Amino acid sequence: MKIATILSILFLCSITSVFAQIPEEVSADYDLLMNVIVNQYDAVGISAAVRVGDDMWTGTAGISAVGENLTTASTFGIGSTTKTFVSATILQLMEEGELELSDPISNYLPDYENIPGSLTIKQLLYHTSGLFNYTEHPDFVEVIFADLEHIYSPEEVLSTFILEPIAEPETEQTYSNTNYLLLGMIIKSITGNEFYDEVAERFDTATNYPSLSMPPFQTDISEMAHLWLDTTLAGTQPQVDCIENGWALNSFFSAAHSAGAFAANPTDMANWAYDLYSGNLLQEASMDSLFDTHPFLLFGVIPYGLGVFSAQFGCGTTGWGHNGNIIYTSSMYYLPEYDLSLSVLTNDGNQIANAGGVENIANELACLYIEFVTNVEEEKTTEIEVYPNPSANLFNVSTPFDLTNAQIEIYNHQGARVQPEIDLQGSVGSLDFSGLSAGGYSIVIIKDQQIYRKQLLKLPG
């Protein structure tokens, strides 16, 4: 059963308008949802962020360690969501003339067994290379957990875990972490920087996404939200705090490398999704390439582009993003129709399975906002008067109801709120526009679950 259904009797039924902000009522619902996931679905911990325009909600529930709650600053492994940084870097290098997507990888890398040098960069990005996925090597888990302190290089991963290709290039779309491990190596070959250092420099992560790092190369795994691991394979009880048990997990993260080893908090991931998918980081032609999904479908159902896939949300809109699983699980999306980005991260080794996983939580967060702002009663435009209109400075507002405790907002023609909260009493009030530039504006009044709107024109002077 969907969490939204379970919570529906608790969610508020308030009315608001959509102008690039998260209504307080939706934020309250988000907070409630986080706590329900932990308290009713037994998740260890969850952290999430939703951004609409420049407005951001963040929330957490659950623990990092026994006696230590998660905070909004807590960082989590993002797994394969790391691939979005790989593709963005590759596309920027293409913009700079450093590579072509049609280039064979032999232009940048030496020969490796079971990796044809004729494969192209684009085939790696699309997962159409046919290469064996090294994390599916039958001995991968046993070898990685045999020495958790060991730090793997990408070259060592290739020599240890790569088997023969599973398909000819361009015959199918088969997800393989090997593709993005090789892309990280190509980035190093071109720039001279380790993949994670190039990302930090290129996107100024210290300023824009300060929590982003790649453990164990840039930060220690113990600094992250503690990972609770289902260790049944190791012969111990499920859901054990790895850090408290002295498991460094260096081998696990280093082996993931550019295929899935970044860590971050959800605020920075929501900001990254917003910047990347709204076109702030790449040129228009690169954005077209990024979103050009392959005719093959990943896993037979997912339209996959260059390190990004398209997802349908339950409330009837489409998002672009990626998810990841490095025992930590992550989900990150941007919904262009609503200018909304979000990220959901968890340190729960069972992946919040009882609540449908991070993908379901991402769907719930998006749809709570969308349903709230679209399921409103018909706006009222005839029951309020504004005069004189147009006016140079003062507008009078007359309504058939008491304006006390009404929500009154002023927006410019671009949909941005331009005045702080307005408090009027009685049924008639005045608005002073002397501090605003000439142009068109909207007054929006919300009272008793009804929306009233009037267009205004401020004259110069």
Side-chain angles (χ1 to χ4, degrees):
M1 181 179 294
K2 292 181 64 178
I3 292 174
T5 302
I6 296 171
L7 296 180
S8 61
I9 60 172
L10 300 175
F11 289 157
L12 303 174
C13 299
S14 304
I15 306 299
T16 191
S17 54
V18 190
F19 287 103
Q21 61 184 358
I22 301 173
E24 291 182 3
E25 296 89 343
V26 175
S27 295
D29 291 348
Y30 285 165
D31 293 335
L32 178 61
L33 179 61
M34 294 294 101
N35 285 298
V36 167
I37 291 168
V38 170
N39 295 327
Q40 295 188 21
Y41 289 90
D42 299 323
V44 174
I46 184 171
S47 187
V50 178
R51 174 177 172 176
V52 179
D54 292 328
D55 195 14
M56 179 79 76
W57 167 88
T58 59
T60 66
I63 63 172
S64 170
V66 174
E68 179 184 342
N69 290 334
L70 291 172
T71 71
T72 55
S74 300
T75 60
F76 303 73
I78 65 171
S80 286
T81 310
T82 300
K83 292 178 172 66
T84 64
F85 293 91
V86 176
S87 63
T89 302
I90 289 289
L91 289 170
Q92 281 199 352
L93 289 171
M94 179 187 70
E95 293 173 356
E96 296 160 7
E98 296 290 343
L99 59 82
E100 295 291 338
L101 298 186
S102 59
D103 287 346
I105 65 174
S106 59
N107 287 7
Y108 308 99
L109 300 176
D111 293 336
Y112 293 101
E113 187 177 1
N114 295 319
I115 299 177
S118 59
L119 294 173
T120 68
I121 291 174
K122 195 169 190 177
Q123 288 168 343
L124 300 183
L125 287 165
Y126 263 143
H127 291 296
T128 56
S129 67
L131 290 176
F132 176 78
N133 182 2
Y134 72 89
T135 57
E136 294 183 358
H137 189 286
D139 298 328
F140 180 78
V141 172
E142 181 180 352
V143 172
I144 289 296
F145 279 88
D147 184 1
L148 290 170
E149 295 284 355
H150 183 70
I151 295 179
Y152 282 87
S153 67
E155 293 79 9
E156 186 179 4
V157 169
L158 295 178
S159 64
T160 305
F161 300 114
I162 297 299
L163 300 180
E164 293 181 359
I166 63 171
E168 291 295 321
E170 292 295 337
T171 60
E172 58 186 70
Q173 193 173 36
T174 306
Y175 194 87
S176 175
N177 288 306
T178 307
N179 294 320
Y180 280 74
L181 185 74
L182 292 169
L183 288 167
M185 297 169 69
I186 290 172
I187 290 170
K188 180 180 178 180
S189 175
I190 293 172
T191 67
N193 292 329
E194 295 288 351
F195 158 70
Y196 43 84
D197 289 330
E198 180 65 21
V199 167
E201 179 179 329
R202 178 172 293 272
F203 300 109
D204 189 13
T205 60
T207 300
N208 299 317
Y209 323 105
S211 71
L212 187 74
S213 68
M214 183 172 281
F217 302 102
Q218 293 176 309
T219 54
D220 192 273
I221 294 171
S222 64
E223 298 174 11
M224 300 162 57
H226 290 199
L227 176 61
W228 289 71
L229 173 62
D230 185 337
T231 57
T232 303
L233 292 176
T236 59
Q237 295 300 313
Q239 294 293 79
V240 173
D241 183 337
C242 294
I243 300 301
E244 290 299 317
N245 280 272
W247 299 335
L249 297 180
N250 288 340
S251 60
F252 199 65
F253 273 82
S254 62
H257 207 266
S258 54
F262 267 140
N265 65 38
T267 300
D268 286 342
M269 293 309 299
N271 283 332
W272 168 253
Y274 188 91
D275 290 341
L276 177 59
Y277 299 131
S278 67
N280 290 339
L281 302 177
L282 297 173
Q283 297 173 7
E284 183 176 355
S286 296
M287 294 296 292
D288 290 341
S289 296
L290 181 72
F291 292 139
D292 185 17
T293 58
H294 199 278
F296 296 145
L297 294 177
L298 195 62
F299 307 117
V301 294
I302 300 174
Y304 197 92
L306 303 185
V308 61
F309 61 76
S310 173
Q312 295 296 316
F313 285 75
C315 38
T317 193
T318 299
W320 292 95
H322 214 289
N323 55 27
N325 181 358
I326 188 165
I327 307 178
Y328 294 95
T329 48
S330 72
S331 185
M332 180 194 80
Y333 290 103
Y334 174 68
L335 284 60
E337 184 178 356
Y338 295 92
D339 200 29
L340 180 152
S341 63
L342 60 86
S343 175
V344 183
L345 305 173
T346 182
N347 60 339
D348 187 296
N350 288 330
Q351 305 174 22
I352 318 183
N354 292 338
V358 292
E359 288 293 285
N360 184 51
I361 306 308
N363 182 82
E364 298 298 341
L365 291 171
C367 290
L368 278 172
Y369 173 82
I370 292 168
E371 291 167 0
F372 186 92
V373 299
T374 56
N375 292 340
V376 297
E377 297 184 25
E378 182 180 357
E379 294 179 1
K380 308 297 182 181
T381 59
T382 60
E383 296 184 16
I384 64 173
E385 296 182 10
V386 179
Y387 57 92
N389 187 18
S391 173
N393 290 313
L394 291 177
F395 292 85
N396 297 313
V397 179
S398 176
T399 68
F401 52 83
D402 189 349
L403 288 167
T404 304
N405 298 323
Q407 184 178 343
I408 304 171
E409 301 168 348
I410 305 296
Y411 297 91
N412 63 19
H413 69 284
Q414 295 175 322
R417 189 172 178 178
V418 295
Q419 282 193 341
E421 187 171 335
I422 299 170
D423 183 20
L424 297 179
Q425 309 292 321
S427 61
V428 178
S430 295
L431 302 174
D432 184 357
F433 275 45
S434 59
L436 300 177
S437 59
Y441 295 87
S442 295
I443 177 174
V444 179
I445 300 175
I446 305 171
K447 177 74 172 182
D448 297 330
Q449 299 189 355
Q450 300 286 337
I451 297 177
Y452 305 85
R453 186 193 307 272
K454 280 289 187 181
Q455 301 297 317
L456 315 178
L457 178 61
K458 182 186 183 310
L459 301 174

